[in-house]
Amino acid sequence: MSVIAPNFKLSEFIKSIIDDVVWTILILSLIGLPAIMMVLFVIPMPVIDGELLTPFLAFTYLADPTRTLPIVQAFMTTDMFKIMAFPGFGFAALIAAGTIFIERKMLAKLQLRVGPFYCGKVEGILQLMGDGLKLISKEIIIPAKADKPIFWAAPVLFVASAAAFVALIPVAPGWVVADVDMGLLGVFAVIGFFPIVTILSAWSANSKFPFIGGIRALFQMVSFEIPLILSLLGVVMVTGTLNLSEIAASQSSFPWIVFLPVGAIVFFITMLAELERIPFDLPEAESEIVAGWLTELSGMMYGLVQLGTYLKLYAFAALFVVLFLGGWNGPMIVPPFPMEIATHGMEMGPVTVKIGGLAPILSQTITQEMLNGTLWFVLKTVGVIFFILLPRGVFPRIRIDMLLNLGWTKLIGLAFVNIFIALALVYAGVLGPGGLQ
């Protein structure tokens, strides 16, 4: 039986565009306005030049940079800025968006895909915008027999787990959302949530294809989490700490990949499996089970899972940089900016900070060490992300039995080899807690 496509009507197309614009403005207003009100009325305001900064007075300072920048600097020292902007969710989401664009461009060049290659004059960027608009405007369809509360909650929990993963990654000295002593254990705990969220999402859809994909994902993640954890024990042995900031700082002379290359290789392979990237994308094998555990997700529910997936990809790449590539350590390439004598005073609680001029105001928070560390961290992370994306364009998918055999036998064996290498380096006196002896 043939199906006749409906005729194109310009009026209906314009109406759909207007509906998308209205809903976008409404959603941004419902989210953005409360956020602005929280910043203006909940966060304690500083005292500048002996005058308490009120929310209404803050708007009058926008035209005067010497008054505005102290407000910006005060906000940059708060936990909210670290969570929302840098190095938290906003920073990670920006890198995730760039990762999606670079991946599509790279695959377009490798496989001659028309859309990302030609759509838009600026390197096909309109294709990315079009896909984003499509996800926002698509209808969310819930299966009739689905467990609706769990089905709705799963994408949100997936993004929340990825955001918690991002919060543990130090970007520069002192710039981390959650700098906990047991940071690496926190990473293991967060990684353990992803299989639970995946199987809950697959089960709640009450459909065979998502359930088969969820079972595959559970097998894959559990079998590769063991060698992933074992591959990191060598780093813990030579540093004597579980704090990620201290691990990064201990690599000021040499990155640990020089001494522990086996552990780095095992971690990278298991990282690909945890991210369900080719050649380990069996939970989403489109030729066998459609989209796997994502089959019944539509609209922004699917968009949330994709956002969480790329946040998770960034977090894993950043963790590899922190553990094996020296973190933020690198040669000083950011030129110093001058500090001037203070002319204005800003009181933050019991402490009054003296600032004067534009550069000194920013330099109270943004130091040369922070800029240089962030630059090296981003360059290394982008390099690792490139090598994570590359196999998708050049490798085929492997079978499930090959995948499980690789995780339970070969990678676990190599992880123990890495542990023995670390023990030998420590007991031989070559390495020890904190770095080189």
Side-chain angles (χ1 to χ4, degrees):
M1 183 180 66
S2 61
V3 179
I4 301 176
N7 295 328
F8 175 79
K9 293 183 179 180
L10 181 61
S11 60
E12 294 182 359
F13 176 73
I14 295 175
K15 180 179 179 299
S16 65
I17 295 296
I18 295 175
D19 289 342
D20 292 343
V21 172
V22 170
W23 278 107
T24 302
I25 294 175
L26 180 61
I27 293 173
L28 291 178
S29 300
L30 291 175
I31 298 175
L33 289 178
I36 293 174
M37 293 300 103
M38 287 178 62
V39 172
L40 293 179
F41 294 96
V42 177
I43 296 179
M45 290 293 172
V47 176
I48 300 178
D49 292 337
E51 184 178 12
L52 178 65
L53 184 67
T54 64
F56 305 100
L57 188 61
F59 287 107
T60 64
Y61 284 178
L62 294 178
D64 187 357
T66 60
R67 291 178 175 268
T68 304
L69 287 176
I71 303 173
V72 174
Q73 189 241 1
F75 179 62
M76 289 177 66
T77 59
T78 62
D79 292 335
M80 180 174 288
F81 176 82
K82 290 185 177 182
I83 295 171
M84 295 173 54
F86 178 83
F89 190 82
F91 177 70
L94 184 63
I95 293 183
T99 300
I100 297 172
F101 178 70
I102 295 301
E103 180 179 19
R104 302 191 67 165
K105 285 297 298 180
M106 182 176 67
L107 294 177
K109 292 182 181 297
L110 289 173
Q111 303 171 352
L112 296 180
R113 297 184 178 186
V114 176
F117 202 50
Y118 296 108
C119 184
K121 295 183 178 180
V122 185
E123 291 295 320
I125 195 171
L126 291 182
Q127 183 69 38
L128 191 64
M129 297 179 180
D131 289 340
L133 180 63
K134 178 190 71 173
L135 286 176
I136 293 175
S137 58
K138 283 184 68 175
E139 180 184 3
I140 297 178
I141 300 174
I142 307 297
K145 296 183 179 181
D147 190 324
K148 293 179 175 57
I150 299 178
F151 190 80
W152 274 101
V156 179
L157 291 176
F158 194 86
V159 175
S161 300
F165 194 174
V166 171
L168 296 169
I169 306 297
V171 173
W175 285 93
V176 56
V177 176
D179 189 14
V180 295
D181 291 336
M182 300 292 180
L184 199 55
L185 286 181
V187 168
F188 296 155
V190 171
I191 293 175
F193 273 101
F194 290 108
I196 299 173
V197 175
T198 300
I199 195 64
L200 282 176
S201 175
W203 174 82
S204 65
N206 199 14
S207 176
K208 62 179 180 181
F209 291 126
F211 188 70
I212 294 173
I215 293 296
R216 281 188 175 187
L218 183 64
F219 285 164
Q220 179 170 315
M221 291 181 182
V222 170
S223 62
F224 277 81
E225 279 181 7
I226 296 175
L228 183 146
I229 294 173
L230 292 176
S231 67
L232 302 182
L233 293 183
V235 175
V236 176
M237 291 177 183
V238 298
T239 57
T241 180
L242 292 169
N243 187 288
L244 293 177
S245 297
E246 294 178 2
I247 291 175
S250 68
Q251 303 173 72
S252 57
S253 300
F254 294 96
W256 293 130
I257 193 173
V258 174
F259 299 97
L260 303 171
V262 177
I265 293 172
V266 173
F267 180 76
F268 187 83
I269 295 174
T270 55
M271 178 172 62
L272 290 179
E274 287 290 321
L275 293 170
E276 300 176 18
R277 303 288 306 184
I278 288 178
F280 308 115
D281 68 329
L282 280 86
E284 302 173 28
E286 70 277 359
S287 60
E288 304 164 20
I289 50 174
V290 196
W293 65 279
L294 302 174
T295 300
E296 299 294 348
L297 298 176
S298 59
M300 276 309 295
M301 293 183 71
Y302 179 81
L304 282 177
V305 173
Q306 290 302 311
L307 173 62
T309 299
Y310 281 93
L311 288 176
K312 183 180 174 184
L313 187 151
Y314 156 74
F316 263 114
L319 182 63
F320 186 89
V321 170
V322 170
L323 295 173
F324 293 104
L325 297 182
W328 59 74
N329 291 293
M332 181 65 71
I333 58 177
V334 177
F337 45 82
M339 295 285 292
E340 299 176 5
I341 300 176
T343 57
H344 297 282
M346 182 180 67
E347 182 180 340
M348 293 296 296
V351 180
T352 300
V353 180
K354 294 295 182 178
I355 52 179
L358 302 187
I361 291 173
L362 290 178
S363 63
Q364 300 292 327
T365 302
I366 305 175
T367 63
Q368 282 86 13
E369 185 182 20
M370 177 263 189
L371 288 175
N372 193 75
T374 302
L375 180 59
W376 278 110
F377 178 86
V378 171
L379 289 176
K380 295 175 184 178
T381 303
V382 170
V384 174
I385 288 174
F386 173 80
F387 284 103
I388 293 175
L389 301 180
L390 187 61
R392 182 175 178 182
V394 297
F395 284 112
R397 180 185 303 120
I398 67 174
R399 299 195 313 266
I400 185 68
D401 60 311
M402 297 169 62
L403 179 141
L404 295 178
N405 181 65
L406 176 66
W408 285 108
T409 59
K410 297 180 177 62
L411 291 181
I412 287 183
L414 288 175
F416 277 111
V417 169
N418 178 70
I419 293 175
F420 295 146
I421 293 173
L423 286 173
L425 291 172
V426 172
Y427 280 102
V430 179
L431 297 177
L436 290 172
Q437 296 298 315

